[in-house]
Amino acid sequence: VRVFVADGCGLCGEAIEVVRSVCGDGYSVVDVTGDPQLEPLYRERIPVVEVDGVDRFTYVVEPEALRALL
């Protein structure tokens, strides 16, 4: 599980907290700020939560839905 975030994101902290509550330490956070490849892909729709290489959540992470995917 990866959470894509960026500077100035008001929803990113909440998304990380939901992922942490479901995954414990089994996730990573990727800051796309200033990354020439990732920022154009993610900036307009962060936070994005990826599970097994597939973008599964944008903006809001539903804990029950995340548990079901895992």
Side-chain angles (χ1 to χ4, degrees):
V1 174
R2 293 195 302 175
V3 183
F4 293 89
V5 302
D7 288 346
C9 171
L11 298 172
C12 290
E14 185 176 324
I16 290 170
E17 287 303 314
V18 171
V19 170
R20 180 180 295 133
S21 74
V22 173
C23 299
D25 293 331
Y27 71 97
S28 61
V29 176
V30 179
D31 188 343
V32 303
T33 305
D35 186 300
Q37 293 177 328
L38 295 179
E39 192 162 16
L41 294 173
Y42 291 99
R43 173 55 89 167
E44 296 299 318
R45 54 191 188 105
I46 57 168
V48 173
V49 176
E50 176 187 274
V51 178
D52 294 330
V54 177
D55 294 348
R56 296 293 187 166
F57 301 94
T58 302
Y59 306 125
V60 176
V61 183
E62 296 294 334
E64 295 81 20
L66 179 57
R67 279 187 196 94
L69 287 171
L70 302 176

